[in-house]
């Protein structure tokens, strides 16, 4: 099991037997968003920060440390999500959270989110920047000084901080990738579809937080209908390798 420790910035992994008895437990530094993936050989891969950057570590069934990989990154980036592949990793990178940076104010510049493909040794095969841009959706309103305290539709805005989608942040199916990034304050964002072959963003779809319109299935990618290629991608992604 992967969860939080007494400190919200700590990640705790615990192995229990079928009776619920704890066999072993290990604590790691964290980002407030524990990230782990279970490999077919029984190793639990964990993403966490350390003094030298970001580390992917395989924890063996007996609790010992297995293989590790250190993907290259900027000092102000953190692993938002990752998918474990047979021969490597796909990682969504986002700006390190203020809580992790121990900063109260927004930094003057933040790195663009990006999606990157790595070997199991941590060598970067390619990296593609993601431009989220301004976000909006009909029905989003605001009220404050600039509206005279009247409720008015909110104009598109550029997020101050970008994170990953909470529900399905990163999916991989064969050579297709769906990576979802959102405005961390409002939850509205986009899902970007990349092709591993040409490393480009091939399409994107609107992504909304579930609390806005649950009856409309919000939380999934919404696209207009004549989009045959995109719908084919979504059908392919339904059998993705992401847990």
């Amino acid at each position: 099991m992967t969860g939080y420790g007494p400190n919200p910035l700590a990640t705790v992994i615990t192995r229990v037997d079928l009776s619920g008895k704890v066999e072993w437990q290990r604590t790691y530094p964290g980002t407030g968003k524990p990230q782990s993936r279970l490999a077919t050989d029984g190793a639990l891969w964990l993403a966490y920060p350390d003094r030298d950057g970001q580390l992917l570590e395989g924890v063996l069934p007996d609790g010992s440390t297995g293989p590790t990989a250190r993907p290259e990154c900027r000092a102000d980036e953190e692993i938002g999500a990752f998918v474990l592949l047979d021969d490597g990793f796909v990682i969504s990178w986002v700006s390190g959270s203020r809580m992790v940076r121990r900063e109260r104010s927004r930094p003057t510049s933040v790195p663009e989110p990006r999606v990157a493909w790595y070997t199991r040794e941590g060598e970067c095969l390619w990296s593609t920047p993601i431009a989220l841009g301004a976000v909006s959706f009909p029905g989003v309103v605001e009220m404050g000084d600039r509206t005279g305290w009247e409720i008015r539709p909110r104009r598109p805005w550029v997020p101050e901080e970008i994170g990953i989608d909470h529900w399905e942040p990163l999916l991989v199916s064969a050579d297709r990738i769906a990576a979802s990034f959102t405005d961390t304050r409002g939850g509205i964002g986009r899902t970007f579809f990349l092709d591993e072959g040409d490393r480009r963003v091939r399409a994107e779809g609107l992504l909304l937080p579930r609390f806005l319109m649950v009856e409309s299935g919000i939380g999934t990618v919404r696209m207009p209908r004549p989009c045959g290629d995109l719908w084919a991608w979504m059908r392919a992604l339904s059998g993705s390798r992401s847990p």
Side-chain angles (χ1 to χ4, degrees), residues 138-156:
V140 176
V141 297
E142 64 178 341
M143 180 178 68
D145 290 336
R146 59 184 175 184
T147 68
W149 297 102
E150 295 181 359
I151 298 176
R152 296 180 181 176
R154 187 175 184 183
R155 296 179 179 178

Side-chain angles (χ1 to χ4, degrees), residues 60-122:
L60 301 180
D62 63 0
S64 61
T65 299
T68 61
R70 185 176 296 280
E72 183 179 354
C73 65
R74 289 177 42 163
D76 53 359
E77 287 182 314
E78 68 181 41
I79 296 175
F82 75 96
V83 170
L84 181 64
L85 308 177
D86 292 337
D87 55 357
F89 311 91
V90 176
I91 298 177
S92 287
W93 293 96
V94 294
S95 173
S97 66
R98 298 179 192 176
M99 185 165 56
V100 175
R101 298 193 306 264
R102 294 180 171 84
E103 296 176 1
R104 295 185 178 181
S105 59
R106 177 176 178 269
T108 55
S109 64
V110 295
E112 282 187 313
R114 61 189 178 96
V115 177
W117 192 296
Y118 296 85
T119 66
R120 275 292 179 100
E121 291 71 38

Side-chain angles (χ1 to χ4, degrees), residues 110-231:
V110 295
E112 282 187 313
R114 61 189 178 96
V115 177
W117 192 296
Y118 296 85
T119 66
R120 275 292 179 100
E121 291 71 38
E123 177 186 357
C124 183
L125 300 179
W126 56 261
S127 177
T128 298
I130 299 296
L132 182 62
V135 296
S136 67
F137 187 75
V140 176
V141 297
E142 64 178 341
M143 180 178 68
D145 290 336
R146 59 184 175 184
T147 68
W149 297 102
E150 295 181 359
I151 298 176
R152 296 180 181 176
R154 187 175 184 183
R155 296 179 179 178
W157 69 94
V158 176
E160 295 183 356
E161 192 170 57
I162 298 172
I164 59 167
D165 176 50
H166 175 72
W167 301 103
E168 293 290 355
L170 186 61
L171 297 172
V172 178
S173 177
D175 60 354
R176 297 180 177 92
I177 302 169
S180 300
F181 298 91
T182 64
D183 174 4
T184 57
R185 298 182 63 184
I188 297 176
R190 293 185 178 90
T191 295
F192 297 83
F193 299 88
L194 297 88
D195 191 303
E196 187 272 333
D198 58 21
R199 312 171 189 178
R200 294 184 303 167
V201 175
R202 299 289 297 274
E204 59 185 74
L206 179 65
L207 186 71
L208 301 173
R210 296 191 178 202
F211 60 80
L212 280 181
M213 294 172 59
V214 176
E215 69 277 5
S216 295
I218 299 306
T220 60
V221 179
R222 293 166 58 89
M223 295 174 287
R225 261 287 179 185
C227 297
D229 290 343
L230 295 186
W231 286 104

